[in-house]
Amino acid sequence: MKSLFLGLTLFLTTISFSQIQLLDTWKFTQLDPGGAFKKEFDDSEWREVSVPHDWAADGKFDFNNDLRFNTIIQNGETTPVFRTGRSGALPIVGVGWYRTHFQIDDVTKYYEVLFDGAMSNAKVYVNGNYVGERPNGYISFYFDISKFLVKGDNVISVRLENFNGQTRWYSGAGLYRKVSLIKREKIHIPTWGITVTTPKVTKEKAKVAVSISVPTYEKLSIENEVIDAQKNRVYIERKLFSKTSKLPFTTSFFLTNPKLWDIENPQLYTLITKVYKNKKLVDRQITSFGIRDIKFKKEGFYLNYNKVRFKGVN
């Protein structure tokens, strides 16, 4: 019998028609100085680090770092006791500041900064301007920073803070995943702006539904092309949209005799989405997706009408 080890949500990967610059060199301090968000702030005494960076991993193991005095009512306890070691005995609690400089040569484009992970309670500033914040340290997030940029030198400042007791395992601290500066045309498909689903799947035919989030201000033409694993084109369409069209743009189509994704044969299709303005290509994204049928029944889980046992589930 088949066994399923990994989750089935890891289908969708997207490659964008954009310029991506990794912001991997930063200045860092664990002090909390006033005015660190300002562009002209003097950070010459800060330590230079390479991102991804975890400031707690630089610290020393000490049980006092996560010493707690509490009562676990669920265990039937009535009085508090001291506990240690729940979050790795590393110094994750505290404040950290990061700052980096980068150059912009064309302020007429769209720019965003994408954080793959920042632990935690992130507050982001560009050239001294507050941009936004993200409390959760585990989720990726991005901000449109176009209006805060100037031609030439620019500065991103990030304040992070881990609170005592905010976790019961080692969470890490700092900009522990990569940070990207992304440049696009003003009209573009935003990050995570394409969704592909397969709501109806049989061995003979599969319905593919595509949702595209393009902020439109005038007429746009959107082309969708589907390529199978053998590099054959199996579908192509082009549709015209305008500012009166319903957002997000949606379309659906059927593929005959689809090659289904399963555990032994993980077939993937490629969706190539192109956005045209006045016949000029302004964005292009490539999205991989799998076609498969998933059902949960009383007697178990079914993938493409075959019963599958899970392994490795917590």
Side-chain angles (χ1 to χ4, degrees):
M1 180 174 288
K2 297 178 181 178
S3 296
L4 187 64
F5 180 71
L6 294 175
L8 293 175
T9 57
L10 304 178
F11 277 99
L12 207 83
T13 58
T14 301
I15 301 173
S16 176
F17 185 69
S18 56
Q19 296 180 28
I20 302 175
Q21 175 186 347
L22 288 181
L23 301 177
D24 53 5
T25 302
W26 296 68
K27 289 292 193 72
F28 168 73
T29 184
Q30 283 189 264
L31 301 175
D32 195 7
F37 63 93
K38 297 179 180 179
K39 182 178 182 179
E40 64 275 10
F41 181 83
D42 182 8
D43 57 19
S44 59
E45 299 299 318
W46 291 17
R47 181 160 59 99
E48 188 170 296
V49 298
S50 179
V51 168
H53 175 253
D54 181 343
W55 83 62
D58 292 339
K60 294 182 179 180
F61 288 96
D62 187 334
F63 285 125
N64 290 318
N65 284 327
D66 57 2
L67 184 65
R68 303 184 189 190
F69 186 67
N70 57 16
T71 303
I72 301 180
I73 299 175
Q74 298 94 319
N75 291 352
E77 297 177 358
T78 57
T79 57
V81 297
F82 284 104
R83 309 173 197 277
T84 62
R86 298 189 69 191
S87 53
L90 282 171
I92 63 171
V93 175
V95 173
W97 275 93
Y98 292 83
R99 287 167 54 88
T100 189
H101 291 251
F102 59 97
Q103 300 295 312
I104 293 295
D105 57 1
D106 185 357
V107 294
T108 66
K109 303 297 184 181
Y110 167 90
Y111 295 87
E112 71 183 41
V113 58
L114 170 63
F115 295 85
D116 279 22
M119 186 64 66
S120 59
N121 298 289
K123 294 184 178 180
V124 180
Y125 305 84
V126 173
N127 293 332
N129 300 288
Y130 171 77
V131 175
E133 56 190 85
R134 174 71 71 177
N136 190 296
Y138 296 102
I139 195 170
S140 301
F141 61 96
Y142 70 91
F143 294 114
D144 175 1
I145 60 173
S146 307
K147 67 180 180 181
F148 303 112
L149 299 179
V150 296
K151 192 171 183 178
D153 183 63
N154 292 265
V155 178
I156 294 179
S157 305
V158 182
R159 184 187 188 275
L160 302 174
E161 183 172 9
N162 283 347
F163 300 114
N164 190 23
Q166 74 176 29
T167 183
R168 60 185 180 90
W169 53 77
Y170 180 72
S171 64
L175 295 178
Y176 70 100
R177 293 179 182 166
K178 71 179 181 354
V179 183
S180 306
L181 177 68
I182 302 175
K183 175 184 176 181
R184 294 193 178 109
E185 296 292 331
K186 285 290 187 181
I187 296 179
H188 62 275
I189 302 170
T191 298
W192 311 315
I194 296 179
T195 302
V196 183
T197 58
T198 55
K200 294 181 180 180
V201 177
T202 67
K203 294 180 180 180
E204 293 77 27
K205 187 167 61 173
K207 181 179 180 180
V208 179
V210 180
S211 173
I212 306 170
S213 299
V214 179
T216 178
Y217 305 101
E218 46 196 293
K219 290 182 179 180
L220 297 176
S221 178
I222 298 181
E223 179 182 284
N224 287 309
E225 180 182 5
V226 180
I227 308 295
D228 66 15
Q230 287 70 43
K231 310 301 181 184
N232 300 310
R233 178 195 286 170
V234 294
Y235 182 78
I236 189 169
E237 69 172 8
R238 182 178 286 197
K239 291 187 175 182
L240 186 66
F241 297 92
S242 68
K243 61 183 178 181
T244 60
S245 300
K246 184 179 179 181
L247 294 176
F249 302 140
T250 58
T251 185
S252 62
F253 47 85
F254 286 91
L255 300 180
T256 57
N257 301 315
K259 300 176 177 65
L260 302 186
W261 186 100
D262 63 29
I263 302 162
E264 282 77 22
N265 191 23
Q267 292 272 358
L268 289 178
Y269 286 81
T270 300
L271 173 71
I272 303 174
T273 303
K274 298 178 182 179
V275 180
Y276 295 88
K277 175 188 173 184
N278 298 328
K279 299 183 179 181
K280 177 187 176 183
L281 180 66
V282 294
D283 201 2
R284 176 178 182 267
Q285 291 200 12
I286 299 175
T287 305
S288 298
F289 68 97
I291 297 176
R292 76 282 187 271
D293 179 82
I294 290 176
K295 285 187 175 64
F296 286 92
K297 300 181 180 180
K298 289 191 299 181
E299 57 272 23
F301 171 81
Y302 287 79
L303 172 64
N304 299 332
Y305 309 99
N306 298 311
K307 188 174 181 179
V308 176
R309 291 177 183 249
F310 286 106
K311 286 189 176 180
V313 175
N314 186 342

